[in-house]
Amino acid sequence: MPPFVRAVLLINTIFYLLQQNFYYEMMAWFALWPDLSILLTHPWQILSYSVLHGDFTHLLFNMFAVWMFGSRIEMVWGPRRTAITYLSAIVFGAIAQMLVGEILSINGAPIIGASAGVFGILLAYALVFPHERVMLLIPPIPLPARVFVAIYAALELWFGLTGTQQDVAHFAHLGGLLGGWIGYRYIRR
C-alpha cells in the first residue's frame, strides 16, 4: 500500500476510534461547523472535518474508495502529488459546502467525513485512467471511469439542489471534484 494512502487510512481510523470515546469533544474541535466566522477562530476545521465520520459504514466506504482509487493514483503520481490533490479536494469541499449552505440557508449541522477528498481522488482517477472500468454496486454495470464520475457528479448536483438526502454534504462532494481538478491541473504543470 502506498505511503500517503496508508497514512490517510491510519489517521482516519485513529480519529474514528477517538471519536467513539470522546464524541462531543471531537465534534466541537474537529468537525466543520457551517458558520463562515468559525474559520477565524478554528481555521484547522477546514481540514480536520475530514477525519471524523458519522458511523463505521461511512468510514469504511470512504477508506475503501481512498484505498481503491488513491493507491492507483499514488503509484503514478507519488505521495506528494496525491496529497496535494486530496487536501485540495478537502479544502474546496469545505468551502463549497459552507458557501452554498450560506446561500441556500441549509441547516447548521456539522460537516464531517473524507468524502470531499474521495471525490477529488475519484476525479483524478477518471482523468488519469478515463477508460478503466469501474463496476457499480447497484446495479452491477461496468462503466468507464470518466462516465462513472460524470454520472456521480450529476447525481450529487441533483441531490444537492433538490434537497434529497439532507444529511449528506452534496456540495462538499462537488467542491471535492473541483479541488481534485485543481490538483490535477497543478500536477500537469
Side-chain angles (χ1 to χ4, degrees), residues 111-132:
I111 302 162
I112 58 173
S115 300
V118 168
F119 272 78
I121 292 294
L122 189 59
L123 181 73
Y125 183 87
L127 292 170
V128 174
F129 306 108
H131 303 293
E132 287 278 326

PDB file of all heavy atoms in Angstrom, residues 111-132:
ATOM      1  N   ILE A 111     -20.255  19.456   9.410  1.00  0.00           N
ATOM      2  CA  ILE A 111     -19.808  18.717   8.232  1.00  0.00           C
ATOM      3  C   ILE A 111     -18.669  17.804   8.668  1.00  0.00           C
ATOM      4  O   ILE A 111     -17.697  18.269   9.268  1.00  0.00           O
ATOM      5  CB  ILE A 111     -19.341  19.692   7.134  1.00  0.00           C
ATOM      6  CG1 ILE A 111     -20.465  20.652   6.758  1.00  0.00           C
ATOM      7  CG2 ILE A 111     -18.833  18.932   5.918  1.00  0.00           C
ATOM      8  CD1 ILE A 111     -20.005  21.892   6.026  1.00  0.00           C
ATOM      9  N   ILE A 112     -18.803  16.510   8.374  1.00  0.00           N
ATOM     10  CA  ILE A 112     -17.760  15.546   8.717  1.00  0.00           C
ATOM     11  C   ILE A 112     -17.603  14.541   7.580  1.00  0.00           C
ATOM     12  O   ILE A 112     -18.512  14.361   6.769  1.00  0.00           O
ATOM     13  CB  ILE A 112     -18.055  14.797  10.039  1.00  0.00           C
ATOM     14  CG1 ILE A 112     -19.394  14.060   9.974  1.00  0.00           C
ATOM     15  CG2 ILE A 112     -18.001  15.734  11.221  1.00  0.00           C
ATOM     16  CD1 ILE A 112     -19.666  13.164  11.166  1.00  0.00           C
ATOM     17  N   GLY A 113     -16.431  13.917   7.512  1.00  0.00           N
ATOM     18  CA  GLY A 113     -16.193  12.847   6.561  1.00  0.00           C
ATOM     19  C   GLY A 113     -15.154  13.198   5.516  1.00  0.00           C
ATOM     20  O   GLY A 113     -14.933  14.366   5.195  1.00  0.00           O
ATOM     21  N   ALA A 114     -14.526  12.166   4.990  1.00  0.00           N
ATOM     22  CA  ALA A 114     -13.473  12.315   3.988  1.00  0.00           C
ATOM     23  C   ALA A 114     -14.010  12.298   2.567  1.00  0.00           C
ATOM     24  O   ALA A 114     -13.243  12.193   1.615  1.00  0.00           O
ATOM     25  CB  ALA A 114     -12.452  11.198   4.164  1.00  0.00           C
ATOM     26  N   SER A 115     -15.318  12.421   2.399  1.00  0.00           N
ATOM     27  CA  SER A 115     -15.920  12.275   1.077  1.00  0.00           C
ATOM     28  C   SER A 115     -15.419  13.298   0.069  1.00  0.00           C
ATOM     29  O   SER A 115     -15.259  12.971  -1.114  1.00  0.00           O
ATOM     30  CB  SER A 115     -17.445  12.350   1.178  1.00  0.00           C
ATOM     31  OG  SER A 115     -17.928  11.330   2.013  1.00  0.00           O
ATOM     32  N   ALA A 116     -15.179  14.524   0.486  1.00  0.00           N
ATOM     33  CA  ALA A 116     -14.674  15.526  -0.462  1.00  0.00           C
ATOM     34  C   ALA A 116     -13.310  15.091  -0.990  1.00  0.00           C
ATOM     35  O   ALA A 116     -13.049  15.185  -2.196  1.00  0.00           O
ATOM     36  CB  ALA A 116     -14.578  16.893   0.208  1.00  0.00           C
ATOM     37  N   GLY A 117     -12.448  14.591  -0.113  1.00  0.00           N
ATOM     38  CA  GLY A 117     -11.150  14.075  -0.546  1.00  0.00           C
ATOM     39  C   GLY A 117     -11.301  12.880  -1.468  1.00  0.00           C
ATOM     40  O   GLY A 117     -10.574  12.740  -2.457  1.00  0.00           O
ATOM     41  N   VAL A 118     -12.260  12.024  -1.163  1.00  0.00           N
ATOM     42  CA  VAL A 118     -12.543  10.858  -2.011  1.00  0.00           C
ATOM     43  C   VAL A 118     -12.967  11.313  -3.399  1.00  0.00           C
ATOM     44  O   VAL A 118     -12.505  10.775  -4.408  1.00  0.00           O
ATOM     45  CB  VAL A 118     -13.625   9.959  -1.374  1.00  0.00           C
ATOM     46  CG1 VAL A 118     -14.137   8.926  -2.365  1.00  0.00           C
ATOM     47  CG2 VAL A 118     -13.089   9.290  -0.118  1.00  0.00           C
ATOM     48  N   PHE A 119     -13.826  12.309  -3.465  1.00  0.00           N
ATOM     49  CA  PHE A 119     -14.277  12.793  -4.766  1.00  0.00           C
ATOM     50  C   PHE A 119     -13.133  13.418  -5.564  1.00  0.00           C
ATOM     51  O   PHE A 119     -13.074  13.284  -6.776  1.00  0.00           O
ATOM     52  CB  PHE A 119     -15.444  13.779  -4.605  1.00  0.00           C
ATOM     53  CG  PHE A 119     -16.776  13.106  -4.579  1.00  0.00           C
ATOM     54  CD1 PHE A 119     -17.232  12.467  -3.444  1.00  0.00           C
ATOM     55  CD2 PHE A 119     -17.577  13.084  -5.706  1.00  0.00           C
ATOM     56  CE1 PHE A 119     -18.455  11.824  -3.407  1.00  0.00           C
ATOM     57  CE2 PHE A 119     -18.805  12.446  -5.692  1.00  0.00           C
ATOM     58  CZ  PHE A 119     -19.244  11.811  -4.542  1.00  0.00           C
ATOM     59  N   GLY A 120     -12.216  14.096  -4.880  1.00  0.00           N
ATOM     60  CA  GLY A 120     -11.046  14.642  -5.568  1.00  0.00           C
ATOM     61  C   GLY A 120     -10.175  13.548  -6.148  1.00  0.00           C
ATOM     62  O   GLY A 120      -9.717  13.629  -7.297  1.00  0.00           O
ATOM     63  N   ILE A 121      -9.944  12.503  -5.362  1.00  0.00           N
ATOM     64  CA  ILE A 121      -9.160  11.361  -5.837  1.00  0.00           C
ATOM     65  C   ILE A 121      -9.901  10.645  -6.967  1.00  0.00           C
ATOM     66  O   ILE A 121      -9.289  10.207  -7.953  1.00  0.00           O
ATOM     67  CB  ILE A 121      -8.854  10.395  -4.666  1.00  0.00           C
ATOM     68  CG1 ILE A 121      -7.899  11.048  -3.666  1.00  0.00           C
ATOM     69  CG2 ILE A 121      -8.334   9.060  -5.151  1.00  0.00           C
ATOM     70  CD1 ILE A 121      -6.508  11.311  -4.196  1.00  0.00           C
ATOM     71  N   LEU A 122     -11.202  10.529  -6.831  1.00  0.00           N
ATOM     72  CA  LEU A 122     -12.010   9.864  -7.864  1.00  0.00           C
ATOM     73  C   LEU A 122     -11.927  10.619  -9.187  1.00  0.00           C
ATOM     74  O   LEU A 122     -11.775  10.009 -10.258  1.00  0.00           O
ATOM     75  CB  LEU A 122     -13.456   9.757  -7.390  1.00  0.00           C
ATOM     76  CG  LEU A 122     -14.410   8.919  -8.212  1.00  0.00           C
ATOM     77  CD1 LEU A 122     -13.931   7.490  -8.322  1.00  0.00           C
ATOM     78  CD2 LEU A 122     -15.798   8.965  -7.594  1.00  0.00           C
ATOM     79  N   LEU A 123     -11.990  11.945  -9.132  1.00  0.00           N
ATOM     80  CA  LEU A 123     -11.860  12.728 -10.367  1.00  0.00           C
ATOM     81  C   LEU A 123     -10.464  12.566 -10.959  1.00  0.00           C
ATOM     82  O   LEU A 123     -10.326  12.392 -12.175  1.00  0.00           O
ATOM     83  CB  LEU A 123     -12.152  14.204 -10.123  1.00  0.00           C
ATOM     84  CG  LEU A 123     -12.056  15.032 -11.408  1.00  0.00           C
ATOM     85  CD1 LEU A 123     -13.254  14.755 -12.307  1.00  0.00           C
ATOM     86  CD2 LEU A 123     -11.916  16.488 -11.113  1.00  0.00           C
ATOM     87  N   ALA A 124      -9.451  12.605 -10.112  1.00  0.00           N
ATOM     88  CA  ALA A 124      -8.077  12.402 -10.606  1.00  0.00           C
ATOM     89  C   ALA A 124      -7.962  11.043 -11.287  1.00  0.00           C
ATOM     90  O   ALA A 124      -7.351  10.926 -12.357  1.00  0.00           O
ATOM     91  CB  ALA A 124      -7.083  12.510  -9.446  1.00  0.00           C
ATOM     92  N   TYR A 125      -8.557  10.033 -10.690  1.00  0.00           N
ATOM     93  CA  TYR A 125      -8.533   8.688 -11.271  1.00  0.00           C
ATOM     94  C   TYR A 125      -9.196   8.692 -12.656  1.00  0.00           C
ATOM     95  O   TYR A 125      -8.670   8.117 -13.609  1.00  0.00           O
ATOM     96  CB  TYR A 125      -9.243   7.709 -10.340  1.00  0.00           C
ATOM     97  CG  TYR A 125      -9.217   6.283 -10.808  1.00  0.00           C
ATOM     98  CD1 TYR A 125      -8.155   5.451 -10.483  1.00  0.00           C
ATOM     99  CD2 TYR A 125     -10.250   5.755 -11.571  1.00  0.00           C
ATOM    100  CE1 TYR A 125      -8.121   4.142 -10.904  1.00  0.00           C
ATOM    101  CE2 TYR A 125     -10.229   4.445 -11.998  1.00  0.00           C
ATOM    102  CZ  TYR A 125      -9.164   3.639 -11.665  1.00  0.00           C
ATOM    103  OH  TYR A 125      -9.131   2.342 -12.097  1.00  0.00           O
ATOM    104  N   ALA A 126     -10.334   9.355 -12.756  1.00  0.00           N
ATOM    105  CA  ALA A 126     -11.050   9.405 -14.040  1.00  0.00           C
ATOM    106  C   ALA A 126     -10.269  10.178 -15.097  1.00  0.00           C
ATOM    107  O   ALA A 126     -10.362   9.865 -16.281  1.00  0.00           O
ATOM    108  CB  ALA A 126     -12.428  10.024 -13.846  1.00  0.00           C
ATOM    109  N   LEU A 127      -9.496  11.169 -14.683  1.00  0.00           N
ATOM    110  CA  LEU A 127      -8.700  11.932 -15.640  1.00  0.00           C
ATOM    111  C   LEU A 127      -7.442  11.176 -16.065  1.00  0.00           C
ATOM    112  O   LEU A 127      -7.019  11.263 -17.217  1.00  0.00           O
ATOM    113  CB  LEU A 127      -8.325  13.292 -15.040  1.00  0.00           C
ATOM    114  CG  LEU A 127      -9.490  14.261 -14.840  1.00  0.00           C
ATOM    115  CD1 LEU A 127      -9.043  15.472 -14.022  1.00  0.00           C
ATOM    116  CD2 LEU A 127     -10.088  14.693 -16.151  1.00  0.00           C
ATOM    117  N   VAL A 128      -6.852  10.433 -15.142  1.00  0.00           N
ATOM    118  CA  VAL A 128      -5.630   9.685 -15.451  1.00  0.00           C
ATOM    119  C   VAL A 128      -5.953   8.362 -16.161  1.00  0.00           C
ATOM    120  O   VAL A 128      -5.244   7.950 -17.058  1.00  0.00           O
ATOM    121  CB  VAL A 128      -4.812   9.439 -14.165  1.00  0.00           C
ATOM    122  CG1 VAL A 128      -3.621   8.533 -14.428  1.00  0.00           C
ATOM    123  CG2 VAL A 128      -4.338  10.765 -13.580  1.00  0.00           C
ATOM    124  N   PHE A 129      -7.039   7.720 -15.729  1.00  0.00           N
ATOM    125  CA  PHE A 129      -7.434   6.426 -16.298  1.00  0.00           C
ATOM    126  C   PHE A 129      -8.874   6.508 -16.826  1.00  0.00           C
ATOM    127  O   PHE A 129      -9.771   5.829 -16.321  1.00  0.00           O
ATOM    128  CB  PHE A 129      -7.364   5.324 -15.231  1.00  0.00           C
ATOM    129  CG  PHE A 129      -6.050   5.211 -14.534  1.00  0.00           C
ATOM    130  CD1 PHE A 129      -5.904   5.626 -13.211  1.00  0.00           C
ATOM    131  CD2 PHE A 129      -4.948   4.674 -15.177  1.00  0.00           C
ATOM    132  CE1 PHE A 129      -4.690   5.508 -12.551  1.00  0.00           C
ATOM    133  CE2 PHE A 129      -3.726   4.563 -14.531  1.00  0.00           C
ATOM    134  CZ  PHE A 129      -3.597   4.982 -13.217  1.00  0.00           C
ATOM    135  N   PRO A 130      -9.138   7.337 -17.841  1.00  0.00           N
ATOM    136  CA  PRO A 130     -10.521   7.579 -18.259  1.00  0.00           C
ATOM    137  C   PRO A 130     -11.254   6.348 -18.791  1.00  0.00           C
ATOM    138  O   PRO A 130     -12.482   6.268 -18.694  1.00  0.00           O
ATOM    139  CB  PRO A 130     -10.385   8.643 -19.349  1.00  0.00           C
ATOM    140  CG  PRO A 130      -8.993   8.499 -19.855  1.00  0.00           C
ATOM    141  CD  PRO A 130      -8.180   8.046 -18.680  1.00  0.00           C
ATOM    142  N   HIS A 131     -10.527   5.391 -19.338  1.00  0.00           N
ATOM    143  CA  HIS A 131     -11.174   4.226 -19.945  1.00  0.00           C
ATOM    144  C   HIS A 131     -11.196   2.996 -19.042  1.00  0.00           C
ATOM    145  O   HIS A 131     -11.742   1.966 -19.426  1.00  0.00           O
ATOM    146  CB  HIS A 131     -10.501   3.889 -21.278  1.00  0.00           C
ATOM    147  CG  HIS A 131     -10.519   5.047 -22.228  1.00  0.00           C
ATOM    148  ND1 HIS A 131     -11.677   5.544 -22.774  1.00  0.00           N
ATOM    149  CD2 HIS A 131      -9.520   5.843 -22.680  1.00  0.00           C
ATOM    150  CE1 HIS A 131     -11.389   6.580 -23.554  1.00  0.00           C
ATOM    151  NE2 HIS A 131     -10.088   6.788 -23.502  1.00  0.00           N
ATOM    152  N   GLU A 132     -10.591   3.105 -17.849  1.00  0.00           N
ATOM    153  CA  GLU A 132     -10.645   1.992 -16.889  1.00  0.00           C
ATOM    154  C   GLU A 132     -12.101   1.743 -16.514  1.00  0.00           C
ATOM    155  O   GLU A 132     -12.878   2.672 -16.344  1.00  0.00           O
ATOM    156  CB  GLU A 132      -9.861   2.344 -15.623  1.00  0.00           C
ATOM    157  CG  GLU A 132      -8.388   2.336 -15.802  1.00  0.00           C
ATOM    158  CD  GLU A 132      -7.787   0.946 -15.703  1.00  0.00           C
ATOM    159  OE1 GLU A 132      -8.285   0.119 -14.924  1.00  0.00           O
ATOM    160  OE2 GLU A 132      -6.807   0.702 -16.421  1.00  0.00           O
TER     161      GLU A 132
END
